[in-house]
Amino acid sequence: MSSNRAKLKRINYPMIILMVFLIYTAYVAFSYFNKKSIFSYEVRTGSLAKSNIYQGVAIRDEEIITSIDTGYVEYFAREGEHVGIGDLIYSVDESGVMTGLINSESGGENSLSNEDLIELKNEISKFSSVYDNTEYSRTYDFLYSMNGMVLKLANANMLEEISKANATSDSVKLCRAEKTGYVVYNVDGMESLSVNGINELTFDNTEYKKEQLLSASLIDEGSDAYKLITSENWSIAIQLDSERAAELAEEGYVKVRFLEDQRELSGKIDVYQVLDNFYGVLSFNSSVLAYCTERFIDIEIITEEEKGLKIPVSSVVYKEFYLVPEELAIEEGEENSMYFLRKVFKEDGTLTAERINLHVYAFEDGYYYIDDQALEIGDYLLYSDMASEYPVATKGQLVGVYNMNMGYADFRRIKKLYENEEYAIVESNTVYGLREYDYIVLDSTTVAEGGFVYE
């Protein structure tokens, strides 16, 4: 007996109390730091533009002009220049005398005026402002363009030196334009591409090669000398999925942004289906010169802006409700509620009707959407004549957000017009819906419906 009392005396009660306190403190701290913070978002009117980015293929009226002779070629027209019939484009020199004159000091950089040099500097600055390391290959295109520009600016001096040297003999052929158009000094084998020839392989650029036509190179008679774009009208073909094809087919005209320089054009959109594939063809009647050296062009299609209430996608929640036919409502209540009759039994087993007021979250196709916590399966609602009843069972889903104007999470239905990865545009001033300047829960996963919110 005395040994039991001794054991009790040896129990360290202060230590036990301290351990319990430490465990409780650790639990409270863990709960606090792991609790998700609840942030609010003020609903405002806004807009989102539907946009899609594509790599398109340019379709133009292009004609390859072949050389009239064999020899060393020298270009006089600048790439992208619009030439008329009779304008000098290039020369072919069997002897190489022409190339020697052009490369001499008299035909070099000293022949450029101050105005010419300023124009060159402007072109270099323009290229530097849009340069991207991920597209380094375009540096070569710029180099070829600058080379052509220098030749054009020095054109008059070159011809003067050639005339002085009497170089325009039978060994030198001066080749002039027989048609009007824009001059391009590259070929890629896709010059004959047309809308009717589009297929899946058209958009495969893994094996795409573009050959630059360079001054001072040896050229054979009948080989490619230069290319001429003969019309301002041109197109860009893109690949589409069936859903986007159906949307764009209804547009008619769309706004197109060119990602290279952010230029925006309005283009006519036509949609074609070839077997199981869908293609869009954007047609333009201007700016063919701006992209005359490019076959594959990155664009963004911007369709009509959707306007309404702008909310974060993170606020959206999906919730199920019981569906109750509108005929069961006996009277309208306050603040989006309706009165119904619920079947109940008294203690003595007799049937009676209980008048209940239920919050309505939506009305659609003849049914009220009632909170699934206010009713449960097994309940029966009575019609006003008390002669027939409706078993509560069918459910429907609504899309909404948690309104927090009253300090607790109150579900409000939304109707989405458009959304992207970050925001959604929803209808404003809808019944049971949102209003501008409402406050909603920013992240719907941080709160449960009816729960109190703390900003």
Side-chain angles (χ1 to χ4, degrees):
M1 190 76 173
S2 59
S3 62
N4 290 335
R5 288 197 187 100
K7 289 180 180 179
L8 291 172
K9 289 180 180 179
R10 287 197 296 269
I11 296 176
N12 193 337
Y13 289 104
M15 182 60 71
I16 293 175
I17 294 172
L18 178 61
M19 291 179 61
V20 171
F21 176 76
L22 292 174
I23 292 172
Y24 175 76
T25 303
Y27 170 77
V28 171
F30 177 82
S31 301
Y32 176 81
F33 287 110
N34 284 274
K35 181 181 179 180
K36 293 184 177 180
S37 299
I38 301 173
F39 297 98
S40 65
Y41 176 86
E42 185 181 18
V43 178
R44 300 297 295 269
T45 298
S47 64
L48 287 178
K50 296 181 180 180
S51 64
N52 290 92
I53 294 176
Y54 303 90
Q55 183 175 78
V57 177
I59 302 174
R60 298 174 283 249
D61 291 335
E62 301 171 279
E63 182 177 343
I64 295 177
I65 310 300
T66 57
S67 176
I68 62 173
D69 205 346
T70 299
Y72 293 94
V73 64
E74 291 293 344
Y75 293 109
F76 294 89
R78 179 186 174 187
E79 185 167 53
E81 180 183 358
H82 189 273
V83 297
I85 297 174
D87 288 345
L88 178 62
I89 307 297
Y90 69 101
S91 67
V92 180
D93 178 14
E94 295 178 0
S95 62
V97 173
M98 177 84 77
T99 301
L101 285 170
I102 291 174
N103 292 331
S104 67
E105 183 177 354
S106 61
E109 62 179 4
N110 293 333
S111 64
L112 299 179
S113 66
N114 289 333
E115 291 77 9
D116 295 338
L117 292 174
I118 290 173
E119 187 174 350
L120 286 172
K121 289 177 181 178
N122 289 338
E123 288 296 318
I124 295 172
S125 297
K126 188 187 300 182
F127 174 76
S128 299
S129 65
V130 297
Y131 175 73
D132 187 349
N133 285 330
T134 61
E135 298 181 344
Y136 180 76
S137 60
R138 290 194 175 184
T139 305
Y140 294 100
D141 293 336
F142 173 69
L143 175 63
Y144 302 138
S145 176
M146 291 299 295
N147 181 55
M149 182 176 182
V150 171
L151 289 176
K152 172 60 181 176
L153 294 174
N155 186 13
N157 291 326
M158 289 179 186
L159 291 178
E160 184 178 350
E161 293 298 327
I162 291 169
S163 178
K164 289 179 181 179
N166 196 25
T168 54
S169 61
D170 292 339
S171 65
V172 178
K173 300 293 192 302
L174 298 181
C175 306
R176 302 181 183 275
E178 297 182 358
K179 295 182 179 181
T180 60
Y182 295 102
V183 175
V184 177
Y185 294 126
N186 72 65
V187 293
D188 61 4
M190 299 180 70
E191 285 78 14
S192 61
L193 179 64
S194 66
V195 173
N196 294 331
I198 297 173
N199 55 49
E200 286 185 279
L201 296 178
T202 304
F203 302 90
D204 183 6
N205 64 357
T206 55
E207 300 295 330
Y208 175 75
K209 292 182 180 180
K210 180 168 63 175
E211 180 187 356
Q212 294 291 339
L213 305 175
L214 306 175
S215 287
S217 59
L218 188 62
I219 191 172
D220 293 327
E221 181 181 355
S223 60
D224 300 338
Y226 67 96
K227 184 163 62 181
L228 203 61
I229 298 175
T230 58
S231 174
E232 276 283 352
N233 298 320
W234 64 297
S235 304
I236 295 180
I238 57 175
Q239 291 177 296
L240 301 170
D241 57 38
S242 57
E243 181 179 354
R244 192 64 174 135
E247 292 175 355
L248 290 177
E250 298 179 357
E251 291 291 336
Y253 284 84
V254 295
K255 184 188 296 183
V256 179
R257 177 181 295 129
F258 292 79
L259 301 188
E260 177 182 348
D261 55 8
Q262 298 301 302
R263 181 195 301 257
E264 292 185 358
L265 295 176
S266 176
K268 184 178 183 296
I269 178 73
D270 293 295
V271 176
Y272 300 88
Q273 181 176 3
V274 181
L275 300 177
D276 295 329
N277 301 311
F278 294 87
Y279 305 104
V281 176
L282 299 152
S283 301
F284 309 97
N285 56 16
S286 65
S287 299
V288 67
L289 173 60
Y291 313 101
C292 64
T293 62
E294 302 298 325
R295 183 66 63 188
F296 292 90
I297 303 175
D298 294 326
I299 62 171
E300 180 181 12
I301 295 180
I302 306 172
T303 51
E304 181 180 357
E305 290 186 342
E306 293 287 1
K307 296 182 179 179
L309 300 179
K310 186 176 182 179
I311 64 171
V313 172
S314 59
S315 297
V316 177
V317 63
Y318 297 85
K319 180 175 169 56
E320 287 192 334
F321 296 84
Y322 284 117
L323 300 182
V324 177
E326 61 177 319
E327 296 84 1
L328 289 166
I330 59 173
E331 186 181 352
E332 185 175 350
E334 297 180 354
E335 297 183 357
N336 300 329
S337 67
M338 301 293 294
Y339 283 96
F340 298 88
L341 295 176
R342 179 164 55 186
K343 176 182 176 182
V344 294
F345 291 92
K346 295 182 179 180
E347 292 182 358
D348 60 4
T350 58
L351 173 65
T352 187
E354 175 189 23
R355 180 185 170 93
I356 58 173
N357 181 261
L358 298 176
H359 187 86
V360 175
Y361 288 86
F363 177 77
E364 195 169 85
D365 298 329
Y367 287 89
Y368 290 111
Y369 284 71
I370 307 297
D371 190 352
D372 62 356
Q373 295 180 355
L375 296 172
E376 60 183 24
I377 294 179
D379 284 342
Y380 285 86
L381 298 179
L382 300 173
Y383 288 87
S384 57
D385 59 5
M386 303 280 289
S388 55
E389 59 190 28
Y390 174 81
V392 175
T394 305
K395 283 189 173 185
Q397 188 181 74
L398 291 178
V399 183
V401 296
Y402 288 129
N403 185 295
M404 53 190 298
N405 291 349
M406 304 301 294
Y408 60 90
D410 180 22
F411 181 91
R412 297 287 179 87
R413 184 198 186 182
I414 60 172
K415 292 184 178 181
K416 289 191 286 187
L417 300 174
Y418 176 70
E419 68 177 322
N420 57 26
E421 293 181 356
E422 296 182 0
Y423 291 95
I425 297 297
V426 304
E427 287 187 14
S428 59
N429 299 321
T430 56
V431 180
Y432 314 113
L434 289 177
R435 300 290 186 273
E436 189 172 18
Y437 306 115
D438 279 349
Y439 282 91
I440 62 175
V441 177
L442 178 63
D443 183 354
S444 61
T445 64
T446 61
V447 68
E449 184 181 3
F452 289 103
V453 293
Y454 305 92
E455 298 185 54

